[in-house]
Amino acid sequence: MSVGALLVDVRLMAEQARDMAQAWMLAPDMTAEQVQDELSGMLGGFVGSASVFAAGWYNELNPESNFAADIDDDLPDEKIANVASWVFSGPQSPQSRIKVAAHRLVFDAARRTVQVNAMAEGVAMARHEDAGCCTKCMARATTVEKPRKGRSDDVDQFFHPTCEGMFVPVRKGLYEPPSHAREWHPKIEAARLAGNSDSDSIANWLSAH
């Protein structure tokens, strides 16, 4: 089952979460304290659904396995506090920023669910990025085949807030990157040969070339 099937479900949850969060932020006199107090309750269902979708998709990747994926839909108080502060700290309106925050919380729940289960099962993990992602996420995508017993500690944890990258467990066989990611590979290697060793500098090189 392709990662695209999971992304369809997670995108739907993210869209609904964004719409609800934006409408909620239109209330007069909203404060960071109110966001911190109420955000988990408002978005918890969307976050939980994204985690359930990710766990179900994880299991369907290898239905013969006895390993059963768990959900991870926790929204720690510290994370919610950081979101509440961030929503009111930028040049964009709080209504715009709460949409971005809602999107990221939903996608992060699905990513985290895949990651914790891959670690528990002891399988490798790859990173899928859509063809239209930003250069920061492009530089972090898995662009070559990866075996089940490969590494997972080489998968970068940073995601641009509005991009829709997803972790992919290599539960059997090989991870095969999509054609657009394979096409990115020589560009990323050229960036490394030009002296760029970290993902951010590679992304800057990609933007300039």
Side-chain angles (χ1 to χ4, degrees):
M1 192 175 191
S2 74
V3 68
L6 172 61
L7 289 174
V8 168
D9 291 332
V10 178
R11 283 186 189 123
L12 178 60
M13 290 299 99
E15 288 169 5
Q16 293 177 359
R18 290 197 306 264
D19 290 345
M20 178 174 284
Q22 185 181 33
W24 178 63
M25 283 297 293
L26 292 174
D29 303 321
M30 287 290 288
T31 65
E33 291 76 16
Q34 188 173 352
V35 171
Q36 184 172 344
D37 289 343
E38 300 179 17
L39 190 64
S40 291
M42 182 182 64
L43 297 183
F46 303 109
V47 169
S49 293
S51 182
V52 169
F53 287 139
W57 172 77
Y58 191 105
N59 289 330
E60 289 173 6
L61 292 176
N62 189 7
E64 296 83 14
S65 172
N66 291 325
F67 181 87
D70 290 324
I71 64 170
D72 189 335
D73 59 354
D74 187 34
L75 287 174
D77 291 343
E78 182 179 2
K79 186 167 190 174
I80 294 301
N82 290 338
V83 169
S85 175
W86 180 82
V87 164
F88 288 92
S89 65
Q92 303 90 352
S93 70
Q95 290 81 12
S96 294
R97 290 172 78 83
I98 196 71
K99 286 179 65 179
V100 173
H103 179 277
R104 183 161 193 170
L105 287 172
V106 170
F107 267 84
D108 278 353
R111 293 165 183 150
R112 192 170 61 248
T113 298
V114 173
Q115 183 178 28
V116 298
N117 282 290
M119 292 174 63
E121 190 180 14
V123 299
M125 192 170 65
R127 175 167 168 166
H128 169 89
E129 293 291 345
D130 286 341
C133 70
C134 70
T135 55
K136 285 184 177 290
C137 289
M138 183 190 300
R140 291 166 165 83
T142 302
T143 59
V144 295
E145 292 179 346
K146 197 167 191 179
R148 184 178 188 276
K149 291 300 182 181
R151 296 171 57 191
S152 289
D153 59 356
D154 59 344
V155 180
D156 199 296
Q157 304 293 307
F158 170 85
F159 288 89
H160 184 261
T162 57
C163 287
E164 299 182 345
M166 186 59 61
F167 294 136
V168 179
V170 190
R171 299 200 67 200
K172 56 183 179 180
L174 288 173
Y175 170 75
E176 299 276 358
S179 58
H180 62 263
R182 291 181 182 274
E183 292 172 4
W184 294 340
H185 185 70
K187 299 176 184 177
I188 293 171
E189 288 303 302
R192 291 194 176 101
L193 289 172
N196 302 284
S197 58
D198 64 88
S199 296
D200 285 336
S201 60
I202 290 171
N204 290 336
W205 190 93
L206 292 171
S207 294
H209 296 80

